[in-house]
Amino acid sequence: MKKLLAILLTVCFMLGVFAACTNDNTPANTNEPASNNNNENPGQTQTNTPVSEGLDLSVSKEPKKDWVTYLTLANEMETFNILYSQNNKELRVLTSCIDGLLSNDNRGNLVPAIAETWGTEDGGKTWTFNLRKGVQWVNMNGEPMQEVKAEDWLVGLEWVLNFYKNEAANTSMPTEMIEGAADYYAYVAGYQDLEIPADADAATKEKLTKDYEKAKAKFEAVCEKYDLEPVRLTADEAKSMDLTVFKKMVGIEAPDDYTLIYHCVAELPYFATWLSFFSVCSGFATVATYNCLYPAPQALIDQLGVDGFYACTNENMWYNGCYTITHYINGNEKVLTKNPMYWDTDCTLFDTVTYKMVESGDVAFQMFQAGELDYIELTESNLRTIYNSESNEFHDYIVEARPTKYSYQLHLCWDKRDENGDPDVNWNTAIANENFRLAWYYGLDATAYLARTNFIYPQHCANYCYTMSNLVSFSDGTDYTDRVMEKLGISPDGENYARVDAAKAAEYKAKAMEELTAKGVTFPVVVDYYIQGSSQTALDTANVLKQMFSDCLGDDFVTLNIKTYISSVNKEVRNPQLASFYINGWGADYADPQNYLGQETYGMDNAYYSVSYSKANNITDENLIAVYEEFTNMVNAANAIVDDMDARYEAYAEAEKYMLEHALVIPWYKNVLWQVTHVNDYSKIYAPYGIQGEKFKNWETSVDPYTTEDYAKLAEAYAAGAGK
């Protein structure tokens, strides 16, 4: 046991040293134009320095030719359309099947994908990508269909921005960044007729009227700007649109088959350069790793029809990435097969990647024990069993995985409904009360919840910010989230959940009960929390959460009601607005706090969490609206600072402090898992933003699982600069 713990601590220490050194040695943000090619990324720190002479850190293993992994049933795919998906459930699979312009290496550096070279000559307002020739779209069987060309990116972006084709998914980044993108979206979406329910109160009537007038005015202004008839499109008319109007309005062009040019709305700092965890990345170019700027072949859309392309399957979609999906059974097995026409002939790929769908982590562990899986994330019970027994067959093989890029929160629903579709007045009134929320914020000690993932070092999973750590840093090397915690007065000690303040929680609870009782709220307030019904692991975790609410807040205040859905949380829970809150997270699409905080702003159609989960735009409580408006103004003010990165991050930190002080969301955890695995995590793509980290490409693997000691060597070698 002591040997194991010593090795694990060595791994953690080495990673910490590497992160600190990298931040210290990465150049400060600049506004100099960047130019990139296959061999180097000017402006980026080169981290692949040789291992210290005489230091033997080699871990030689026989590699695996096929890879078998798993997903729980709660993470079943709901779409094969990569332009539509905004969920890691699909993207973890699809990112290996479709390539975009750029990707990342195992240290977070930008590397070419279908774009061979890229750069800007005007400080980041205009970006040019030069595409490689001969890249093929292929069908499920790997048979070539047609060459990938620049216009495919225009087709893809039109699809994303066309309200009726893509249901408004993935619009936030392009509408914020690309000239005319917001205008095109507004033109196609039009506006809905004003409909006021007969039983609507005055506040609801006023809000509906304002929303209508705002949307109508926006539509008319866009039509006037581009000399378009101010006539709203029908769904059929929008779905039949080609690129004619799109090219007139949107700042993207393909002057030839292998050149792609984007015109950005301004010289925004996250289009130029910014500081990321391991390197300085070339701004807008990092957005080019994300699926909102992915290509789509017009020929396939013509073949399937607009609705058919939206609902494409593994059998009729086209691929240009490492793998095709040759076998798919919903709720069961799916198989990715190496693309024989893949453009990168020098990379390392598996012959096949197989996903096994399982009910729970415990079932997956049984399969791993039987040799049916190559990787296992350990549940609390399995980890305890292995960790506490030196004779266990896996005792010398457990390792703490690298943190994921996701920051998880309690996302509160402001407009909850019951199963009949009627407003849950008791909950909606209670959660609009700031004292009620602050009792949660200061009272909920998440340690027991964190231990479900990492009982050895639960505070490694503690999260106190909305933005994920290691995304951006100030010029003095201070991580952005450290500044936020400093402003909040939070000082983690590694032993306790640092946000908890029992005295404050009791004070806010008493105030909330007094104020809400006067408004007719009944206590305890029933809190509906949904889990996937077939998952025993989810149920066990939910029961821990239920006990936590009882212990921390008291049964006289709230009671957690665990409810279940069958397969789709979106269709069965989110869309009908049945949950009081969700525990879910955000991983950065690009390296700027705007990508986090902008998801929670008020009155914005492209603020993902506000629109999809919290339903912030449906709030009727005047005090809560005022808080949201102030937060939104602070975010917008920070976003307007484009010439001083320190000032920009400072302004965002103030906005995030305000957001958390008013408990608009409640930060919950970071995902730091324990695993037994046949892959060297340090060989995998790493990116603190985007979707490339899920790609099955250039993995270093072993027929035998890596030992804890192996991983200590791998971590040390990575920190020393070895590896790809």
Side-chain angles (χ1 to χ4, degrees):
M1 180 68 68
K2 291 181 178 179
K3 177 184 177 183
L4 171 63
L5 187 59
I7 293 172
L8 294 172
L9 289 173
T10 298
V11 173
C12 294
F13 174 75
M14 290 305 302
L15 291 177
V17 169
F18 177 70
C21 291
T22 304
N23 283 334
D24 289 342
N25 295 322
T26 305
N29 298 303
T30 68
N31 294 316
E32 298 177 0
S35 176
N36 300 288
N37 57 45
N38 286 332
N39 300 316
E40 61 181 2
N41 293 325
Q44 299 187 22
T45 299
Q46 300 300 311
T47 55
N48 295 339
T49 55
V51 175
S52 302
E53 187 176 350
L55 184 62
D56 183 10
L57 298 173
S58 61
V59 179
S60 181
K61 301 287 186 178
E62 179 185 354
K64 292 187 65 65
K65 295 182 179 180
D66 300 278
W67 186 258
V68 185
T69 187
Y70 70 100
L71 293 171
T72 61
L73 291 174
N75 288 301
E76 179 59 273
M77 297 175 64
E78 296 183 33
T79 180
F80 288 95
N81 191 318
I82 198 167
L83 297 175
Y84 173 74
S85 177
Q86 298 183 89
N87 196 309
N88 193 47
K89 295 192 298 184
E90 294 93 30
L91 294 177
R92 71 179 71 192
V93 176
L94 296 175
T95 190
S96 290
C97 301
I98 310 291
D99 276 357
L101 294 166
L102 304 176
S103 186
N104 302 91
D105 65 12
N106 66 330
R107 296 183 181 276
N109 300 305
L110 283 172
V111 295
I114 296 179
E116 290 186 293
T117 62
W118 64 95
T120 177
E121 297 181 352
D122 58 4
K125 195 169 189 299
T126 305
W127 287 85
T128 300
F129 297 85
N130 301 301
L131 311 185
R132 63 181 75 246
K133 299 178 180 178
V135 179
Q136 295 293 316
W137 288 109
V138 303
N139 63 16
M140 179 183 71
N141 299 317
E143 300 164 338
M145 306 305 293
Q146 67 179 38
E147 189 179 6
V148 178
K149 294 185 177 180
E151 189 159 290
D152 294 343
W153 273 265
L154 275 67
V155 173
L157 185 57
E158 195 282 330
W159 183 276
V160 167
L161 296 175
N162 190 309
F163 178 87
Y164 289 98
K165 291 180 180 179
N166 205 39
E167 296 186 346
N170 269 334
T171 62
S172 60
M173 280 193 289
T175 55
E176 292 170 3
M177 299 179 180
I178 299 172
E179 284 185 353
D183 291 339
Y184 187 77
Y185 175 84
Y187 170 69
V188 176
Y191 58 94
Q192 300 298 313
D193 291 332
L194 180 60
E195 295 182 1
I196 300 177
D199 59 348
D201 58 25
T204 300
K205 291 179 181 178
E206 183 180 4
K207 182 180 186 309
L208 291 172
T209 302
K210 285 183 177 179
D211 290 347
Y212 167 79
E213 292 174 346
K214 179 181 178 181
K216 184 174 183 292
K218 173 67 173 177
F219 174 79
E220 293 174 344
V222 167
C223 291
E224 182 178 1
K225 179 179 179 180
Y226 295 95
D227 195 26
L228 300 169
E229 279 295 317
V231 178
R232 288 177 287 176
L233 301 172
T234 66
D236 288 341
E237 289 171 337
K239 289 180 180 180
S240 67
M241 293 181 70
D242 58 19
L243 295 178
T244 303
V245 177
F246 174 82
K247 289 180 177 179
K248 179 180 180 179
M249 298 177 69
V250 182
I252 180 175
E253 55 181 310
D256 58 58
D257 288 344
Y258 306 105
T259 305
L260 185 66
I261 302 173
Y262 290 93
H263 300 277
C264 300
V265 295
E267 296 175 14
L268 299 179
Y270 48 90
F271 292 165
T273 56
W274 60 72
L275 196 63
S276 151
F277 186 30
F278 293 117
S279 62
V280 171
C281 299
S282 300
F284 181 76
T286 64
V287 181
T289 68
Y290 204 72
N291 59 308
C292 67
L293 298 187
Y294 266 38
Q298 185 62 51
L300 178 61
I301 299 173
D302 294 341
Q303 175 183 311
L304 300 179
V306 170
D307 293 336
F309 179 69
Y310 170 85
C312 63
T313 70
N314 70 298
E315 294 182 343
N316 61 25
M317 65 183 284
W318 289 359
Y319 307 80
N320 69 11
C322 318
Y323 303 88
T324 68
I325 306 175
T326 53
H327 178 70
Y328 174 84
I329 301 176
N330 188 59
N332 202 315
E333 188 176 85
K334 52 182 67 70
V335 178
L336 280 59
T337 300
K338 181 167 62 177
N339 178 3
M341 303 295 296
Y342 190 49
W343 60 267
D344 191 354
T345 56
D346 295 328
C347 72
T348 300
L349 300 176
F350 299 108
D351 291 338
T352 62
V353 175
T354 300
Y355 283 95
K356 302 285 189 178
M357 304 302 297
V358 301
E359 292 182 356
S360 68
D362 289 330
V363 173
F365 184 67
Q366 294 169 9
M367 295 172 67
F368 185 86
Q369 286 178 302
E372 299 173 17
L373 298 174
D374 295 318
Y375 159 83
I376 183 67
E377 295 176 356
L378 297 170
T379 63
E380 180 187 19
S381 61
N382 291 328
L383 179 59
R384 288 186 184 275
T385 298
I386 297 169
Y387 182 78
N388 291 328
S389 174
E390 294 190 18
S391 63
N392 187 282
E393 62 180 316
F394 298 117
H395 180 78
D396 293 332
Y397 293 87
I398 60 171
V399 293
E400 190 177 42
R402 300 175 72 180
T404 68
K405 67 172 188 174
Y406 296 95
S407 171
Y408 291 83
Q409 332 288 338
L410 296 187
H411 284 103
L412 309 166
C413 182
W414 310 108
D415 184 21
K416 182 183 177 302
R417 304 296 171 116
D418 62 24
E419 293 179 354
N420 296 320
D422 298 320
D424 185 343
V425 176
N426 205 62
W427 166 261
N428 293 340
T429 305
I431 202 62
N433 181 278
E434 185 164 302
N435 290 319
F436 183 81
R437 302 193 305 273
L438 290 174
W440 289 34
Y441 181 85
Y442 288 107
L444 288 173
D445 185 343
T447 301
Y449 188 96
L450 306 181
R452 290 285 297 159
T453 299
N454 191 340
F455 84 88
I456 300 174
Y457 306 121
Q459 299 308 324
H460 285 187
C461 304
N463 185 31
Y464 305 112
C465 299
Y466 189 83
T467 305
M468 185 61 181
S469 57
N470 300 323
L471 184 66
V472 295
S473 299
F474 289 83
S475 60
D476 64 0
T478 301
D479 189 272
Y480 167 83
T481 58
D482 288 339
R483 186 65 55 85
V484 175
M485 286 191 289
E486 179 185 341
K487 291 178 179 291
L488 291 168
I490 295 174
S491 301
D493 59 11
E495 298 293 330
N496 302 289
Y497 202 66
R499 188 177 65 226
V500 172
D501 188 321
K504 282 186 177 181
E507 178 184 351
Y508 289 122
K509 173 183 173 179
K511 290 180 180 178
M513 294 187 75
E514 180 181 355
E515 293 168 356
L516 290 171
T517 299
K519 290 187 174 184
V521 171
T522 55
F523 288 91
V525 175
V526 176
V527 182
D528 289 332
Y529 178 64
Y530 281 78
I531 61 170
Q532 210 273 334
S534 62
S535 174
Q536 184 62 46
T537 300
L539 178 59
D540 292 343
T541 302
N543 281 325
V544 169
L545 191 67
K546 181 180 178 71
Q547 189 62 49
M548 184 188 308
F549 270 73
S550 177
D551 294 341
C552 296
L553 299 179
D555 294 332
D556 61 330
F557 192 51
V558 295
T559 181
L560 190 71
N561 186 22
I562 301 172
K563 307 183 84 171
T564 62
Y565 63 91
I566 298 173
S567 60
S568 173
V569 67
N570 291 343
K571 295 177 181 178
E572 298 172 49
V573 182
R574 190 192 74 181
N575 294 347
Q577 301 169 217
L578 300 181
S580 301
F581 70 89
Y582 307 83
I583 299 178
N584 48 12
W586 188 263
D589 302 330
Y590 54 92
D592 192 78
Q594 168 67 16
N595 189 233
Y596 277 89
L597 302 187
Q599 308 308 321
E600 299 285 356
T601 50
Y602 177 77
M604 310 292 289
D605 292 336
N606 57 7
Y608 179 65
Y609 275 109
S610 290
V611 172
S612 301
Y613 289 93
S614 67
K615 303 297 179 182
N617 295 341
N618 297 354
I619 296 171
T620 57
D621 184 272
E622 293 183 359
N623 292 328
L624 184 56
I625 290 174
V627 171
Y628 254 108
E629 287 179 336
E630 177 62 20
F631 166 69
T632 302
N633 290 337
M634 294 176 76
V635 171
N636 291 337
N639 196 44
I641 302 172
V642 300
D643 56 353
D644 186 332
M645 296 301 290
D646 281 346
R648 180 181 179 88
Y649 296 159
E650 186 72 23
Y652 274 125
E654 281 292 330
E656 187 157 345
K657 170 178 175 283
Y658 182 89
M659 170 201 232
L660 300 181
E661 284 183 332
H662 293 272
L664 298 182
V665 298
I666 300 176
W668 201 237
Y669 75 100
K670 294 180 285 191
N671 213 18
V672 186
L673 301 163
W674 287 78
Q675 62 182 348
V676 183
T677 184
H678 292 255
V679 63
N680 169 13
D681 277 354
Y682 303 103
S683 70
K684 296 164 64 175
I685 290 173
Y686 175 83
Y689 56 84
I691 64 175
Q692 301 302 310
E694 305 287 350
K695 195 183 293 286
F696 294 99
K697 182 176 180 178
N698 289 328
W699 282 24
E700 179 183 293
T701 59
S702 169
V703 169
D704 299 317
Y706 289 94
T707 67
T708 310
E709 187 173 359
D710 289 336
Y711 253 66
K713 288 186 176 183
L714 294 170
E716 190 175 356
Y718 188 84
K724 300 173 183 178

